[in-house]
Every structure is written in C-alpha cells, then in structure tokens.
Amino acid sequence: MASGIATETPTVSMTTDSDGRVWLGYPNSQIQIVDKRSVRSLSAADGLNVGPVLSIDARRRHVWVGGEQGLARFDGHRFNAVRRQGGTSLPSVSGIIETAEGDLWLSTSEGAMQVPAEEVRRVVSDPLYAVRYTLLDFLDGMPGTPAAVRPLPTMAEGTDGRLWFATTNGIAWTDPRHVTRNTLEPPVDVQSIIADGVRYEPLPGLNLPIRTRNLQISYTALSLSIPERVRFRYQLGAEQPWQDVGSRRDAYFTNPAPGNYRFRVIASNNDGVWNETGASVEFTIPPAFIQTKWFLAIWAAAGAAVLWLLLMLRVQQVQRRMRGRLEAQLAERERIAQELHDTVLQGLLSASLQLSVANDQIAPGATAKPLVERVFQLLRQIVDEGRNAIRGLRIHHLEPNDLERAFSQMPQDLAADLKIQYRLIVEGAPQSLRPSIRDEVYRIGREALANAFHPLRRIGGRDGARSCPRSFSHGGPRQWLRNESAGPALRAGGSLGPFRDARARKENWQPPQRPKCRRRGYRD
C-alpha cells in the first residue's frame, strides 16, 4: 500500500480515472487520490460536504462525488455542491454514471435521476446553477430504493450502454439511448365550481351567490401514461400570478371580492410537456348593496352632510358667543349712559340752573357778570355735548326700516347749525338687519355725522352757508353710508365683519378730513 493511505479508516467506495489513479472514499467526507508516487487527501476544507462518500465517478471529463448529503463536482482544485431547482440539495446519491452523450445519471434514495447534458454543461460553467432532472421511481417500474449499505455503488454501466440499478427489491435496468418520452399535451378540463357547499356547473355566464365565502374549483387533466405525474398551475384573473400546486386538482379561495372573474388552469404530463392553453371558466360574484358604489356614495354624502352639520353648529355657536358678547357690551354701554345721565349730567344741569339764578341776581354793570355768563354758556355746552354723548351710548332699538328716518333727523338730534345744508340720499331697496347690527350702524353713522358737523361750525365763516350731502345705499347684501365731502365711505350689512362689535368702529372708520364744503361769498 502506498505511503500516506489511511489504513485505520474503512474505505466505503472506490474507482479509477482515465489516468490510472485510484480514488478512495471514506465515511467522514474525505477522499484520497492515489497514484504511483503520491497520495493526495481532500476533505471539507476543500469544499467536500457530502457526508460518507458512497460513490465516485471519475472516468470521463468530470469528477462527481456522491454521498448521504448530496452530490459535488471536483473542478481540479475544490468541490462545488450541486443543487436542484428550489435551492435544496440532492438526496442521498449512491451511484453515479456520466454517459458518453454527456447525460448524468444518479442512483438516489428517491429513485433514478437523469440530468440532461445541457444541464450538466450549465452547472459546470456556473456552480451555483440549480439543475433540472427527470425522476424514475416506482411509477416507472423501479422495484425499490437503493440499499443503505453495501454493495456500493448501487448503479453500473454495461458494455452495451445499459444502466443497471441494485435496489432493495431486486435489479432494474434502463437504456438511456432509447428512453421513451411522452410528447402529448394533456387535455385540461374544469369540472365544477362549489360556492359555500353548493355545486355549480362551469357554464358561460355563471353567477354565484352574493357574499360567497368559500370557493372551490375542481379541475383535472387526462394523461394515461403516469397520471400521478401530472402537474397543474392556475390563476384567478390576469392580474394575479400563476400558482404552481403540483398534482393537486382543486383550487381554494376564501372571501373573494365581488366582481367578474376568469379562472385559468394549465397542466403538464409525466415528462414535463405543458398544455399552455389549458382550460378556463368565467363567473361573476354580484356585490351586496353595502358593497356597491351607490352605497359608498351614500356614505360619502352622509359623511359630508355630518361634517357640514357640525360646521354649521360650530358657526352658530360662534355667532351666539359673539352675539352674547356684543349684547353684553351694549348692555354695559346702556348702564354707563344711565349712570352718567343720573349723576354727572344731572349735576351739571343743576349747577347750570343755579348759576343762571345767580346771574339774574347780579347787577347788569357788575364786573363779574360777563364771567358768570361765560361760565353759564360753557356749562350749557358741556350739558349739550354730554347729552349727545349719552344718546350715542344708548341703544335706540330702531324699527327694521327706520334707519332712513333716523339719519334724516340727525341734524336736529345733534343740534347742528341750521345754516348747514344737510341732504340724505337713499339708493336701492331697504335690507333687513339684525337689531344689534342695525343699532351699531346707527351709532357709527351718528358719530361720523357729529364729527362732520363739528368742523363745519368752525370753518364755515360768520354767515356763509355750507353744504355736505350724505348718501345711504342699500346695495345687495351690503349697505353703504357715504360722506361725499368728508372722506372714506362707511359700510355696513347683514354679513358685516367690520361692525360685529363695538371695537369695529375704531378699526374701520377714520377721522374725516377737512370737508370740501361750498359757502356763498366765501373762498377756501
């Protein structure tokens, strides 16, 4: 025995290659290559992870090693594991034959596997490639499975090219050069549709019950060679992916949505020949009322109505709050006006009366009489201005269409100079205003006119006549009070933001400029 051979470990498998070297396989994923001069050992460090080495084939261009954990190929430097489609390892391999045509035959625990020459070339060029294969098992006449112990290997090639397999129930052979293949596409048929336990025939225009919960579609394919090897794929709707279900002949769906469906199924025979046309059936699941677009539209409309109602309630709440705040302010102004009238104004009036009595008792030529008369006139002026101010603070509660009359009587209420020509112009139809807004418009207009009359008395001259027209317009949803000679217009209306509270007057009205009034015999 050559030096370096492991004599203490039993040899499991053995073969020779075309160069006369001996390949020895051992139980611990180890191989030794023995030639006349040396012994080379290969193990897991070289990529060999097949477990106990059960078979070795090194007679042709490639070296294959099979074991309990799959198949590996030796490229001259390292071993590369061979995987099948799906990414899993091959089953236990106890026999390997690479034919002259390039096909690779394996004796495995699942049966005899044939890897076509094209697949062999692809896995040689790409060690990560997952190979396709054809399986021959008991359905093809294999009497059993390879023995778990000796004799090894469990497959041999005869001089006539036949492959012989040793199994637990006898010997079987096949001729790889004369393998009969089934090239017929299996016809496919949809047999029935079962919806919630009720069977329906797959007829055109089929309508299933509303709210179908469980749907089962039965189908089959005719292949008399080996019907157990028929494989199926189906899809429900063109937008759905194909489902590969193997040999199962029923499709199951749970809670399908309402709509129109087209179920397609295709099949392949025992040799992988697919009928790509397959069979199909169309059916409809009507929607319940709560699944229709009308129901969704009603829900959307109801939701919008609820939101609108909530918005209106919120607007009314804000309006009530603002109205209450405005009414509280107006009530406070009324109280202040009442207190001023009952205290300060009455006191000033009483003082003026007493001063008038004192003035009557002073002799006409006394030096104090002119001073008393000036003080008396000053008190009368203060009383008049105070009365006007209190009248402005009070709530007048005008009639709905009484703004025109109130503004027409404004010069008399303000005790304006009779030489001032005052004209009120009414435009448009009267508009109804809330009482609080109407009173606020009246107070703002009254204050504007009072401010206009006051400078006219100062600049009008001794005997000149002044003319300051005013126009009051009912313009659509808004009302305008325009001082045509004293500056910007004042606006009020049913939706007036500027006059919703007492502060609006200060924010939206500006003091009048010097009025451009006409005066006879006077040039400005």
Side-chain angles (χ1 to χ4, degrees):
M1 185 71 66
S3 176
I5 298 178
T7 57
E8 66 280 2
T9 303
T11 302
V12 178
S13 59
M14 179 187 303
T15 189
T16 59
D17 59 19
S18 58
D19 296 330
R21 294 178 300 180
V22 178
W23 293 67
L24 304 175
Y26 297 94
N28 52 355
S29 288
Q30 185 177 3
I31 288 179
Q32 287 187 335
I33 306 174
V34 182
D35 60 12
K36 297 179 180 180
R37 300 177 181 179
S38 62
V39 177
R40 179 184 178 185
S41 296
L42 303 172
S43 61
D46 302 289
L48 184 61
N49 293 293
V50 297
V53 178
L54 304 181
S55 60
I56 305 172
D57 181 58
R59 299 175 307 145
R60 301 191 186 277
R61 290 166 292 178
H62 308 109
V63 177
W64 307 92
V65 176
E68 289 185 356
Q69 299 176 12
L71 178 71
R73 185 186 68 86
F74 186 62
D75 61 6
H77 304 283
R78 290 185 57 81
F79 286 93
N80 298 292
V82 179
R83 298 184 177 275
R84 55 182 168 180
Q85 283 205 334
T88 60
S89 301
L90 292 170
S92 175
V93 179
S94 57
I96 306 172
I97 296 293
E98 184 176 1
T99 65
E101 292 77 14
D103 295 340
L104 184 66
W105 285 80
L106 307 174
S107 176
T108 72
S109 56
E110 295 179 1
M113 292 183 176
Q114 179 197 14
V115 180
E118 178 60 29
E119 295 292 299
V120 173
R121 286 190 291 270
R122 295 188 65 175
V123 75
V124 168
S125 61
D126 181 11
L128 299 179
Y129 177 74
V131 299
R132 300 174 181 269
Y133 60 89
T134 301
L135 178 66
L136 304 177
D137 56 12
F138 68 95
L139 296 175
D140 302 279
M142 187 70 71
T145 59
V149 294
R150 289 180 174 85
L152 292 174
T154 59
M155 181 174 59
E157 183 180 19
T159 56
D160 56 357
R162 294 182 182 181
L163 301 180
W164 296 82
F165 299 89
T167 69
T168 54
N169 291 329
I171 302 295
W173 64 270
T174 185
D175 189 349
R177 294 168 297 181
H178 300 89
V179 175
T180 303
R181 294 183 58 82
N182 183 4
T183 59
L184 296 177
E185 297 180 356
V188 187
D189 180 60
V190 178
Q191 294 183 311
S192 65
I193 298 178
I194 301 176
D196 293 332
V198 180
R199 180 186 175 91
Y200 298 89
E201 294 297 327
L203 301 176
L206 176 62
N207 288 319
L208 298 181
I210 297 174
R211 288 188 176 181
T212 297
R213 300 294 183 185
N214 299 304
L215 183 63
Q216 175 183 344
I217 302 178
S218 298
Y219 49 83
T220 189
L222 182 62
S223 180
L224 300 181
S225 298
I226 306 178
E228 294 85 355
R229 293 264 178 86
V230 175
R231 298 180 61 85
F232 297 92
R233 295 176 185 167
Y234 67 77
Q235 100 181 143
L236 185 62
E239 68 281 358
Q240 297 297 325
W242 286 94
Q243 303 292 326
D244 193 339
V245 294
S247 60
R248 197 180 72 195
R249 285 168 165 76
D250 294 287
Y252 301 94
F253 306 95
T254 303
N255 295 324
N260 300 319
Y261 291 95
R262 183 173 185 263
F263 177 81
R264 261 192 84 196
V265 57
I266 60 176
S268 68
N269 62 14
N270 57 300
D271 284 322
V273 178
W274 285 91
N275 180 353
E276 297 291 345
T277 303
S280 63
V281 60
E282 296 181 359
F283 58 90
T284 301
I285 300 179
F289 176 70
I290 63 175
Q291 295 173 320
T292 60
K293 294 182 179 179
W294 283 104
F295 182 78
L296 296 178
I298 292 173
W299 265 106
V306 170
L307 292 177
W308 177 257
L309 178 61
L310 293 176
L311 178 61
M312 291 297 100
L313 292 176
R314 177 58 180 168
V315 170
Q316 292 179 4
Q317 181 183 7
V318 173
Q319 289 178 345
R320 286 194 300 269
R321 186 182 303 167
M322 296 181 63
R323 190 179 301 114
R325 188 180 303 167
L326 178 60
E327 291 175 355
Q329 292 176 353
L330 296 178
E332 180 66 15
R333 293 177 59 166
E334 181 74 17
R335 185 189 65 80
I336 295 173
Q338 185 67 33
E339 291 182 358
L340 290 175
H341 180 273
D342 295 342
T343 56
V344 177
L345 195 59
Q346 291 296 336
L348 291 175
L349 184 59
S350 177
S352 67
L353 292 176
Q354 294 178 19
L355 188 61
S356 177
V357 173
N359 183 42
D360 293 340
Q361 294 177 359
I362 297 175
T367 57
K369 191 175 182 62
L371 178 60
V372 173
E373 288 179 352
R374 285 197 301 271
V375 174
F376 175 74
Q377 294 297 330
L378 180 61
L379 286 177
R380 289 298 303 268
Q381 182 180 356
I382 292 175
V383 169
D384 290 341
E385 291 180 355
R387 185 179 291 112
N388 291 334
I390 290 174
R391 188 179 293 111
L393 288 173
R394 289 185 182 277
I395 302 175
H396 294 273
H397 298 293
L398 300 171
E399 295 299 325
N401 298 318
D402 216 17
L403 281 176
E404 302 169 14
R405 184 174 60 83
F407 282 116
S408 64
Q409 297 176 357
M410 193 65 67
Q412 292 81 1
D413 294 341
L414 297 176
D417 189 347
L418 297 179
K419 294 181 180 181
I420 299 175
Q421 295 182 5
Y422 172 79
R423 182 175 57 185
L424 178 69
I425 302 173
V426 179
E427 299 177 358
Q431 302 291 329
S432 179
L433 296 176
R434 290 198 296 268
S436 58
I437 300 297
R438 186 176 60 248
D439 292 342
E440 190 72 10
V441 170
Y442 172 76
R443 282 192 294 273
I444 294 173
R446 187 179 182 281
E447 182 175 344
L449 291 175
N451 292 333
F453 283 131
H454 181 66
L456 287 174
R457 287 198 295 267
R458 294 199 303 266
I459 68 175
R462 291 186 297 270
D463 58 352
R466 281 81 65 193
S467 175
C468 286
R470 299 292 185 273
S471 64
F472 187 75
S473 174
H474 303 283
R478 302 180 183 273
Q479 295 187 350
W480 294 82
L481 176 63
R482 217 169 32 247
N483 182 348
E484 296 179 350
S485 63
L490 303 176
R491 179 177 62 183
S495 60
L496 288 177
F499 306 111
R500 290 189 184 277
D501 52 38
R503 294 174 297 178
R505 228 171 19 187
K506 299 179 181 180
E507 298 172 355
N508 295 274
W509 185 82
Q510 300 177 0
Q513 303 173 357
R514 182 179 179 181
K516 301 177 181 177
C517 300
R518 296 182 301 275
R519 170 173 169 262
R520 299 186 192 92
Y522 176 78
R523 182 172 297 175
D524 191 4

